[in-house]
Amino acid sequence: MQVCGIDEAGRGALAGPMAVAACVLNAGISGLNDSKKLTPKRRKELFHLITQNSRYLIVYFSNEQIDELGLSECLRRALNLFKLHFSGCELLYDGNQNYGTGVQTMVKADAKVEEVGAASILAKVSRDELMCAWDKIYPNFGYKSHKGYGTKAHLEAIAKYGQNEISRKSFVIKNFQPSLELF
């Protein structure tokens, strides 16, 4: 039975969508790994090899969907969709939570299983490209460099300019919360 690897990108970001990718490789591809362990240049090279040598599906959940449904429900929906789309495969999701879908999980699968590494690359590269496009619309936020994650530069931009249309409004930014003062 073929393995369908699954991973996501943008789960913990403060802005932008979350991309969830599933991938079944048709041929071996050298150099697959957890996308975070690869350079942006190498990820893009592998992205093109993966898209030419696999069956894959990438789904996106907007910041509004994440705010309305929550991350867990978005991931549950993605896993259930992949179960239907790749019904003849053994699905393997990176992590330790399958959100009640019955999909098999493995911690650090993106570094251990080629198909999950491929899904990791598909999710990260496709989401990064979307965030670079948003950078052109919101140049003051620096999305091209931090991709919407909670970096110092991003937090400073939010403090200065406020949230925008791709901000995840349901995410609480601890730096902006009043602290308890003890008397």
Side-chain angles (χ1 to χ4, degrees), residues 27 29 43 50 85 94 106 109 148 155 161 165 180:
I29 299 173
R43 280 194 299 261
I50 295 163
H85 191 79
D94 181 51
M106 178 190 294
L155 293 173
Y161 303 108
E165 72 176 299
L180 285 175

Side-chain angles (χ1 to χ4, degrees), residues 172-182:
V172 176
I173 302 172
K174 290 181 182 180
N175 294 22
F176 298 162
Q177 296 300 306
S179 61
L180 285 175
E181 292 187 25
L182 300 174

Side-chain angles (χ1 to χ4, degrees), residues 37-63:
K37 295 180 180 178
L38 302 167
T39 65
K41 180 183 177 193
R42 185 63 179 143
R43 280 194 299 261
K44 279 194 172 191
E45 293 167 356
L46 288 167
F47 181 90
H48 293 294
L49 288 172
I50 295 163
T51 58
Q52 294 167 4
N53 294 288
S54 69
R55 290 185 301 130
Y56 67 94
L57 180 62
I58 306 170
V59 296
Y60 302 90
F61 292 93
S62 69
N63 55 297

Side-chain angles (χ1 to χ4, degrees), residues 7-20 34-37 43 60-61 63 66 71 75 93-94 110 119-132 134-135 140-159 162-164 166-168 171-176:
D7 202 0
E8 87 283 322
R11 179 183 193 152
L14 302 178
M18 175 174 59
V20 190
D34 173 358
S35 63
K36 295 178 291 301
K37 295 180 180 178
R43 280 194 299 261
Y60 302 90
F61 292 93
N63 55 297
I66 293 166
L71 284 169
L75 289 164
Y93 177 50
D94 181 51
D110 51 0
S120 171
I121 293 163
L122 290 172
K124 177 135 182 68
V125 171
S126 62
R127 183 183 185 279
D128 284 359
E129 288 180 2
L130 287 173
M131 293 310 294
C132 288
W134 280 110
D135 185 73
N140 294 333
F141 281 82
Y143 292 134
K144 187 175 183 179
S145 63
H146 57 66
K147 311 298 188 278
Y149 287 94
T151 64
K152 182 180 179 198
H154 190 194
L155 293 173
E156 288 172 354
I158 293 170
Q163 294 185 321
N164 59 47
I166 67 164
S167 296
R168 296 184 187 174
F171 282 39
V172 176
I173 302 172
K174 290 181 182 180
N175 294 22
F176 298 162

